[in-house]
Amino acid sequence: MELNDANLQTLTEFLRKTLDPDPAVRRPAEKFLESVEGNQNYPLLLLTMLEKSQDQVIRVCAAVTFKNYIKRNWRIVEDEPNKVSDADRTAIKANIVNLMLSSPEQIQKQLSDAISIIGREDFPQKWPDLLTEMVNRFISGDFHIINGVLRTAHSLFKRYRHEFKSNELWTEIKLVLDTFALPLTELFKATIELCQTHATDVNALKVLFSSLTLISKLFYSLNFQDLPEFFEDNMETWMTNFHGLLTLDNKLLQTNDEEEAGLLELLKSQICDNAALYAQKYDEEFQPYLPRFVTAIWNLLVSTGQEVKYDLLVSNAIQFLASVCERPHYKHLFEDQNTLTSICEKVIVPNMEFRSADEEAFEDNSEEYIRRDLEGSDIDTRRRAACDLVRGLCKFFEGPVTAIFSGYVNSMLGEYAKSPGQNWKHKDAAIYLVTSLASKAQTQKHGITQANELVDLNEFFVNHILSDLKSPNVNEFPVLKADAIKYVMIFRSQLPKEQLLQAVPLLISHLQAESTVEHTYAAHALERLFTMRGPNNSTLITPAEMAPFTEQLLNNLFKALALPGSEENEYIMKAIMRSFSLLQDAIVPYIPTLIGQLTHKLLLVSKNPSKPHFNHYLFESLCLSVRITCKANPTTVSSFEEALFPVFTEILQNDVQEFLPYVFQVMSLLLEIHSNSIPSSYMALFPHLLQPVLWERTGNIPPLVRLLQAYLEKGGASIASSAADKIPGLLGVFQKLIASKANDHQGFYLINSIIEYMPAESITQYRKQIYILLFQRLQGSKTTKFIKSFLVFINLYCVKYGAIALQEMFDSIQPKMFGMVLEKIIIPEVQKVSGPVEKKICAVGITKILTECPSMMDTEYTKLWTPLLQALIGFFELPEDDSIPDDEHFIDIEDTPGYQTAFSQLAFAGKKEHDPIGDAVGNPKILLAQSLHKLSTACPGRVPSMLSTSLNADALQFLQGYLQAATVQLV
């Protein structure tokens, strides 16, 4: 694509169409952009457009498209084509920083993200001047430019907060500190001085304070891994100024907005984070500054209001106290009973209250409320922080803290009892307090695993929780109902089984509640209870115990999916999946009705897939319906196909990318249930599965390979007779997969099935070419994974076609090739093969080479006979060699950046491991003994003499054991 006006005009038109709400206009435009993004100059056209277009909407659209393009294509993945030409890469890196700094803020943010994506791959090695180019802009004095640099640096260095320690990381951080730490410190001091100079200019202050917030975030990232020497030497400058900013109160920066945090709050909350980092990690060096920070943060907490805009600040301030109070050498700061009482009264209890803002979120923004409350993403809520502070204080002062709070809990419950209608928020706070007091350790899988012995959870459940669950009106006091359900859920491992069984029917009735939070919690609680394990590792709650409630459970779950706001509720869908899994055969009578509802739901969500978890559990539930029903009666598979195929066809025709990997897995499951033939509906689809475009997407590869394997298993012969023209296409897929280090094992799965199930004559003409491709790959890049798969393949070939065929095949490619493969690959590498079926295939294959291949006995290959036998005995007796060479660290497929549907394995579509040898060989050691016996009777005297001259003593001893076990002798 040339950089000219005509191309700019074309791209502008297509970008405008991608904003069209009508899918008939939008989809083709998206497809067009996808088709041209591989062309040289495409990214430069986008950059030209975002710089020069007169239309602001197009400029922003070009910026977003450019960022997503970089996200998808910048990383160079081994074995895959480089999707951005080198000339484009150089041009982008030469211009993007300038462009970002001169763009308006909306575009600056997109380009800043793009720089950090490129930086993650190329900085510092391939982009050494990035930092100096950025730091040089500090002197400009223009804070629009300075903030652009700071924002980019923040998105570039943010990853230091969660990267594992490594030499590479230390080297990079050291380089960044050498270039960046001093200019950042100078900028910090200069900005603070400017704040004093412009103390009365509100617009200047806004820009300066957003700079200070970014500088504070950078401070956190650069200090996270370890305390850098530079910051230790300059601690006085940083901490004194941080402390000054914490205590500063500028009337001009106070906002009237009650919801949105202002610049002052954002800056102070980041400073609380920075102080907490130092208090936790570098307490010795931070000790001189700690008392003044504790005082400043305490004063901040006591004087800050309950408005939502202060939530982040208050929760970070409380987190600071929490991190200080659980360190042994700050213990003395909290020992005094009055201090504890004061913290409880002034900080913890007020911040546990359920405010009107929480009530609004509960009613009107349930998704966000659930995300914060259930999934623990409420790190920045006051309640979570107060809860952490309670836990922190309990570490050293469990007795006194429990005593202080017991008084509060009793008085709150007393207030509630006087007038439930008015004082229900008191009970809510009491439940929250009990929960935070009682919880010592928690896991996703088991809920609370360690509890405070001073709190009687069972008694509290019976006296205060059960009444809310039993209340006949499920829509009254929804917040308390949700609290009660959550109590059961998080203390499920602490409450006795009879209490949980008593709760199950009550939870089922709460699935009908109008409140989204309430019926979602009920679904989630049931799902968690159904996963609990009993003493013998079976489920704690049995299908028999569920029998009286099965119908109501299934009815209410599916009805809940129709409630407003819960049409794609992932918790309900997960509970449906878990119920199917727990109830097993008990769901069979209901499946004819339910499968219709599930396929209808699938059709609706496939129009615009937006909830990945919901979709995943929906497909899992479909798999369970198929598995459970067809296990009882395999002939019902056709009724599932009738229900599912129309929807699947639509998904395939509309190319709904997110759903294709799932559809292929469900189809494999269905096809594997058929006896030994392929229905015509599947055969019609077969040619489409070989289309190259499907194989371009990494997420499709594992499920498509499995589906093709199912085709081969059920109908290798019918493919050979009615679709022989498709065999080259099938081998083309194998050729593509084998060339990729990430997917070569999938190529071997496919070729193994072709060898096992296709009639021998149908692939005779292709066999040599298959081996030539494999040898080319071996020469080009030989990895451990490839060698292991290659060994299994040649041994499977030997088992299927015989050792003579294998030897003749190798020697027809190149004279004496068979000996080279034995010497260079089989003998030295077989110890690496892992997996019971793979090991069995190799053992049987090598046994055949030893005992059924005449050229092993009377040609130059004979010298390899004993080493091969030695390798086989070692394969049986020595531990597996799982060493991997240093230069082979694979990039996992899931690591590739950008949004591309990665492969999501459906747990309930699992495939049983298949053993191509089956019962024909029980114990390969016995087979070896019997085969050697047979060989020795054919040529008496030869085998014992070969053994006695060159097999080592240990191996000989093991071999004697095999012969005895098989009750045979060598002659």
Side-chain angles (χ1 to χ4, degrees):
M1 289 176 92
E2 295 303 310
L3 271 172
N4 58 31
D5 290 344
N7 280 336
L8 279 172
Q9 190 52 43
T10 311
L11 271 186
T12 304
E13 288 311 310
F14 278 104
L15 279 179
R16 188 168 280 117
K17 286 178 182 168
T18 61
L19 303 171
D20 198 300
D22 178 3
V25 179
R26 189 178 70 245
R27 284 242 170 92
E30 289 168 346
K31 285 266 185 266
F32 171 79
L33 290 177
E34 206 177 302
S35 72
V36 296
E37 73 171 26
N39 296 351
Q40 189 169 343
N41 290 331
Y42 171 76
L44 304 183
L45 282 163
L46 288 174
L47 289 178
T48 312
M49 209 181 304
L50 70 85
E51 184 183 13
K52 299 195 170 139
S53 171
Q54 299 303 306
D55 183 337
Q56 184 58 23
V57 173
I58 290 294
R59 291 181 70 189
V60 174
C61 183
V64 174
T65 309
F66 175 78
K67 180 193 74 181
N68 290 335
Y69 165 84
I70 294 293
K71 201 172 179 183
R72 275 197 306 275
N73 300 312
W74 194 270
R75 175 180 278 186
I76 298 173
V77 180
E78 200 176 1
D79 297 330
E80 288 186 19
N82 175 355
K83 294 173 188 160
V84 185
S85 73
D86 290 340
D88 283 355
R89 286 175 186 270
T90 310
I92 288 170
K93 286 192 284 196
N95 295 306
I96 190 167
V97 175
N98 258 335
L99 198 51
M100 183 268 294
L101 296 175
S102 59
S103 297
E105 194 165 336
Q106 241 186 327
I107 293 172
Q108 194 180 68
K109 282 185 171 154
Q110 300 297 331
L111 291 180
S112 169
D113 284 349
I115 292 172
S116 67
I117 295 164
I118 297 171
R120 202 177 307 146
E121 300 300 320
D122 289 16
F123 176 77
Q125 277 83 12
K126 293 186 200 165
W127 201 359
D129 50 357
L130 170 64
L131 265 195
T132 33
E133 191 183 346
M134 282 170 34
V135 167
N136 291 342
R137 303 307 171 92
F138 282 167
I139 350 165
S140 70
D142 176 344
F143 272 85
H144 174 71
I145 289 179
I146 290 172
N147 281 354
V149 172
L150 292 172
R151 200 176 290 118
T152 307
H154 171 53
S155 57
L156 205 55
F157 305 153
K158 202 165 46 179
R159 65 188 183 86
Y160 301 158
R161 302 174 179 197
H162 45 247
E163 291 261 318
F164 286 118
K165 289 182 166 59
S166 70
N167 289 339
E168 215 175 318
L169 183 69
W170 290 120
T171 315
E172 185 182 321
I173 294 178
K174 185 179 182 319
L175 178 98
V176 169
L177 289 165
D178 292 347
T179 319
F180 207 78
L182 179 61
L184 187 72
T185 308
E186 294 305 322
L187 179 68
F188 181 51
K189 292 195 293 198
T191 313
I192 284 183
E193 277 172 31
L194 284 170
C195 288
Q196 283 149 2
T197 317
H198 297 283
T200 54
D201 177 349
V202 68
N203 291 329
L205 284 177
K206 281 182 178 171
V207 177
L208 294 167
F209 268 77
S210 54
S211 307
L212 286 171
T213 305
L214 284 164
I215 291 169
S216 304
K217 286 177 187 290
L218 284 163
F219 176 90
Y220 189 87
S221 299
L222 294 175
N223 283 273
F224 190 87
Q225 289 279 345
D226 204 355
L227 178 58
E229 198 178 328
F230 178 87
F231 284 106
E232 191 175 348
D233 297 344
N234 288 275
M235 201 183 293
E236 179 64 33
T237 303
W238 284 93
M239 290 306 157
T240 309
N241 282 314
F242 278 160
H243 181 261
L245 290 168
L246 262 186
T247 49
L248 172 93
D249 190 15
N250 189 315
K251 295 281 179 282
L252 292 175
L253 286 172
Q254 286 177 355
T255 57
N256 296 327
D257 188 333
E258 292 202 352
E259 301 280 319
E260 201 65 39
L263 288 166
L264 207 53
E265 289 81 50
L266 290 172
L267 175 61
K268 288 182 178 184
S269 22
Q270 186 57 49
I271 292 173
C272 289
D273 256 358
N274 295 353
L277 177 77
Y278 266 56
Q280 269 180 314
K281 285 190 152 192
Y282 318 122
D283 39 14
E284 228 169 276
E285 295 83 353
F286 188 56
Q287 208 127 25
Y289 303 95
L290 183 89
R292 68 178 102 153
F293 272 92
V294 171
T295 310
I297 288 173
W298 173 257
N299 290 334
L300 195 71
L301 278 170
V302 181
S303 60
T304 302
Q306 283 279 23
E307 290 85 352
V308 174
K309 66 175 172 182
Y310 300 124
D311 283 7
L312 182 65
L313 173 58
V314 169
S315 71
N316 281 1
I318 297 176
Q319 288 290 2
F320 167 77
L321 287 182
S323 60
V324 172
C325 74
E326 59 179 22
R327 316 286 298 177
H329 45 263
Y330 300 142
K331 192 173 147 187
H332 61 277
L333 294 171
F334 299 90
E335 263 167 345
D336 182 40
Q337 181 75 19
N338 294 335
T339 309
L340 284 175
T341 309
S342 177
I343 291 176
C344 294
E345 188 178 315
K346 294 191 173 135
V347 176
I348 293 171
V349 172
N351 286 302
M352 282 205 175
E353 281 170 15
F354 194 76
R355 300 165 302 164
S356 51
D358 300 315
E359 198 172 348
E360 269 172 44
F362 184 94
E363 287 167 10
D364 305 329
N365 192 358
S366 50
E367 210 164 305
E368 179 59 20
Y369 182 91
I370 291 164
R371 203 171 61 79
R372 289 203 315 234
D373 189 45
L374 259 196
E375 296 171 21
S377 70
D378 62 341
I379 306 304
D380 54 353
T381 63
R382 294 170 179 244
R383 284 191 140 186
R384 168 59 61 98
C387 189
D388 287 346
L389 181 53
V390 173
R391 276 186 206 163
L393 290 169
C394 283
K395 190 167 175 183
F396 296 119
F397 313 107
E398 192 170 49
V401 170
T402 308
I404 295 168
F405 279 135
S406 299
Y408 278 107
V409 169
N410 290 334
S411 75
M412 287 170 178
L413 291 170
E415 288 299 311
Y416 166 74
K418 282 182 206 161
S419 170
Q422 281 210 293
N423 297 341
W424 61 267
K425 286 184 182 175
H426 288 284
K427 180 168 185 180
D428 168 81
I431 296 174
Y432 208 89
L433 253 178
V434 169
T435 307
S436 50
L437 263 182
S439 324
K440 275 187 170 177
Q442 185 167 8
T443 66
Q444 195 63 41
K445 192 171 173 188
H446 302 290
I448 302 297
T449 51
Q450 230 187 327
N452 174 342
E453 267 90 65
L454 307 172
V455 181
D456 189 334
L457 291 168
N458 203 14
E459 185 189 5
F460 192 82
F461 174 76
V462 174
N463 294 342
H464 302 287
I465 298 292
L466 211 48
S467 55
D468 284 325
L469 288 177
K470 282 182 167 170
S471 138
N473 179 356
V474 292
N475 294 317
E476 189 184 29
F477 302 136
V479 176
L480 293 182
K481 298 277 199 300
D483 288 340
I485 296 168
K486 189 178 168 194
Y487 185 94
V488 174
M489 185 175 64
I490 58 176
F491 292 117
R492 61 186 180 276
S493 297
Q494 311 295 321
L495 294 169
K497 181 177 172 179
E498 52 274 20
Q499 305 286 24
L500 298 179
L501 282 175
Q502 194 180 358
V504 165
L506 304 173
L507 292 171
I508 292 173
S509 57
H510 283 279
L511 289 168
Q512 293 179 293
E514 287 161 16
S515 154
T516 306
V517 175
E518 191 183 333
H519 64 242
T520 301
Y521 279 22
H524 188 47
L526 286 164
E527 190 272 328
R528 296 284 81 196
L529 293 181
F530 292 168
T531 53
M532 291 177 75
R533 296 276 157 199
N536 52 358
N537 208 29
S538 59
T539 51
L540 179 71
I541 294 173
T542 63
E545 287 164 331
M546 284 302 298
F549 321 120
T550 297
E551 189 161 339
Q552 196 195 353
L553 169 70
L554 296 172
N555 269 338
N556 287 7
L557 281 169
F558 277 87
K559 274 191 207 155
L561 277 182
L563 291 166
S566 278
E567 294 86 349
E568 291 182 42
N569 185 320
E570 63 186 67
Y571 292 98
I572 298 174
M573 202 68 233
K574 193 176 187 185
I576 290 174
M577 172 192 84
R578 198 67 69 198
S579 305
F580 282 10
S581 169
L582 171 76
L583 296 167
Q584 291 291 328
D585 299 352
I587 66 166
V588 173
Y590 305 100
I591 287 297
T593 341
L594 299 182
I595 197 73
Q597 296 185 44
L598 289 170
T599 44
H600 178 64
K601 186 60 84 177
L602 177 58
L603 189 59
L604 292 177
V605 296
S606 68
K607 302 276 188 270
N608 181 20
S610 55
K611 297 281 187 70
H613 289 104
F614 176 86
N615 300 334
H616 187 88
Y617 300 133
L618 171 56
F619 277 103
E620 291 282 20
S621 304
L622 286 168
C623 289
L624 277 162
S625 317
V626 171
R627 277 214 147 178
I628 293 166
T629 313
C630 295
K631 188 175 156 194
N633 178 4
T635 55
T636 52
V637 70
S638 56
S639 55
F640 282 106
E641 287 163 351
E642 275 167 38
L644 290 167
F645 270 33
V647 190
F648 285 179
T649 310
E650 196 161 321
I651 290 171
L652 291 166
Q653 280 168 348
N654 294 331
D655 190 28
V656 184
Q657 295 190 17
E658 300 90 325
F659 281 8
L660 292 185
Y662 290 128
V663 168
F664 297 142
Q665 287 177 82
V666 180
M667 286 183 65
S668 305
L669 179 65
L670 291 165
L671 186 48
E672 285 157 9
I673 291 166
H674 280 276
S675 42
N676 283 326
S677 63
I678 302 188
S680 56
S681 51
Y682 287 89
M683 276 315 281
L685 187 66
F686 183 64
H688 301 288
L689 300 178
L690 304 174
Q691 287 172 348
V693 58
L694 283 178
W695 296 88
E696 292 303 321
R697 299 182 204 137
T698 45
N700 285 346
I701 291 173
L704 262 179
V705 167
R706 176 179 167 192
L707 181 54
L708 289 180
Q709 285 184 285
Y711 270 92
L712 290 161
E713 182 191 342
K714 298 299 174 187
S718 53
I719 290 173
S721 58
S722 65
D725 56 330
K726 297 293 173 279
I727 296 175
L730 204 53
L731 293 167
V733 169
F734 156 73
Q735 184 174 357
K736 177 181 165 53
L737 294 174
I738 218 77
S740 146
K741 282 187 187 169
N743 296 316
D744 49 16
H745 60 294
Q746 297 287 347
F748 277 111
Y749 292 159
L750 186 58
I751 201 73
N752 290 347
S753 289
I754 290 174
I755 294 294
E756 188 180 349
Y757 297 115
M758 293 288 281
E761 64 284 357
S762 67
I763 54 164
T764 309
Q765 56 182 322
Y766 306 110
R767 286 187 210 170
K768 190 168 180 176
Q769 189 54 38
I770 290 170
Y771 275 105
I772 290 171
L773 285 172
L774 292 173
F775 282 124
Q776 282 169 343
R777 165 65 209 272
L778 264 177
Q779 277 175 317
S781 61
K782 175 174 135 180
T783 64
T784 307
K785 177 164 76 110
F786 185 86
I787 294 275
K788 285 161 73 166
S789 303
F790 180 67
L791 282 168
V792 174
F793 169 70
I794 53 182
N795 282 299
L796 179 67
Y797 187 95
C798 178
V799 171
K800 179 82 180 168
Y801 297 125
I804 299 173
L806 183 71
Q807 174 251 318
E808 286 173 350
M809 169 61 69
F810 282 156
D811 287 346
S812 73
I813 294 171
Q814 189 186 316
K816 302 191 183 158
M817 172 76 100
F818 182 58
M820 284 188 272
V821 171
L822 286 174
E823 194 174 357
K824 299 278 190 306
I825 298 176
I826 297 184
I827 293 171
E829 304 282 10
V830 71
Q831 205 61 39
K832 291 196 163 118
V833 174
S834 52
V837 173
E838 289 82 353
K839 291 182 109 156
K840 185 174 177 184
I841 292 170
C842 288
V844 176
I846 293 172
T847 300
K848 282 183 171 293
I849 295 173
L850 284 166
T851 61
E852 294 176 19
C853 180
S855 59
M856 286 297 287
M857 297 304 283
D858 45 21
T859 64
E860 71 268 36
Y861 295 152
T862 313
K863 65 177 186 296
L864 295 170
W865 191 89
T866 324
L868 182 62
L869 177 63
Q870 176 111 6
L872 177 57
I873 296 170
F875 185 52
F876 285 144
E877 304 299 344
L878 296 173
E880 180 189 315
D881 170 9
D882 53 8
S883 61
I884 286 186
D886 293 340
D887 55 348
E888 278 185 41
H889 40 275
F890 291 108
I891 291 182
D892 193 21
I893 304 174
E894 311 308 15
D895 260 3
T896 44
Y899 178 74
Q900 189 175 18
T901 330
F903 168 54
S904 297
Q905 172 78 54
L906 290 168
F908 294 110
K911 183 182 181 187
K912 286 204 294 289
E913 183 154 38
H914 164 68
D915 177 356
I917 297 170
D919 300 336
V921 175
N923 180 345
K925 295 178 185 177
I926 303 285
L927 176 75
L928 174 64
Q930 290 166 338
S931 306
L932 285 172
H933 166 70
K934 198 167 158 190
L935 177 67
S936 74
T937 48
C939 38
R942 285 284 304 279
V943 178
S945 77
M946 284 157 82
L947 294 179
S948 60
T949 51
S950 48
L951 194 67
N952 84 24
D954 286 343
L956 198 54
Q957 200 172 348
F958 281 121
L959 185 59
Q960 295 297 348
Y962 307 160
L963 293 163
Q964 276 170 355
T967 60
V968 291
Q969 288 177 335
L970 301 179
V971 292

